[in-house]
């Protein structure tokens, strides 16, 4: 990856990720599909100013969608579960969400 801002696409705010964020120091992001765990860790530490303990990534495969007799497929995408170190506070982008 060439730029840190290209690694993190957006924070994922779902019921599951909200519970994870409130019960511990885990935040979840949609990241670039070719981003590695090291890229994600570097981007979070630089852009959000929080120390990262670990990163888990997974590929979410795109769903098949159809409209009438035409079938298409959404793009695959990658998500990253980032665990912050003890004592770190959750970045401000998650406040009020």
């Amino acid at each position: 990856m060439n730029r840190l801002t290209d690694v993190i696409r957006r924070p994922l705010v779902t019921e599951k990720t909200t519970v994870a964020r409130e019960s511990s120091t885990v935040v979840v992001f949609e990241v670039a599909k070719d981003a590695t765990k090291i890229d994600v860790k570097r981007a979070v530490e630089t852009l959000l100013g929080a120390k990262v303990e670990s990163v888990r990534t997974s590929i979410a495969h795109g769903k098949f969608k159809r409209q009438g007799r035409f079938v298409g497929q959404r793009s695959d995408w990658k998500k990253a579960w980032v665990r912050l170190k003890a004592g770190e506070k959750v970045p401000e982008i998650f406040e009020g969400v």
Side-chain angles (χ1 to χ4, degrees):
M1 300 294 323
N2 52 358
R3 296 184 55 202
L4 294 176
T5 54
D6 293 339
V7 175
I8 297 176
R9 297 274 168 83
R10 66 185 177 100
L12 285 179
V13 181
T14 62
E15 192 171 338
K16 185 175 181 178
T17 61
T18 304
V19 169
R21 186 177 70 241
E22 290 171 353
S23 63
S24 62
T25 55
V26 174
V27 290
V28 185
F29 297 100
E30 179 182 339
V31 296
K33 195 169 174 207
D34 57 344
T36 63
K37 292 181 181 185
I38 296 167
D39 292 336
V40 173
K41 180 178 179 178
R42 189 175 297 131
V44 170
E45 287 181 346
T46 305
L47 297 175
L48 305 178
K51 297 292 182 194
V52 174
E53 183 178 320
S54 65
V55 177
R56 294 182 300 161
T57 59
S58 64
I59 298 284
H61 295 286
K63 297 178 179 179
F64 284 96
K65 293 296 201 175
R66 55 180 296 156
Q67 187 165 357
R69 64 189 175 112
F70 302 103
V71 179
Q73 184 180 13
R74 290 184 181 166
S75 300
D76 296 347
W77 56 283
K78 187 182 238 185
K79 73 173 106 172
W81 294 73
V82 179
R83 180 175 299 279
L84 304 177
K85 288 193 175 176
E88 290 289 323
K89 69 184 200 86
V90 177
E92 295 81 33
I93 60 172
F94 290 102
E95 299 298 323
V97 176

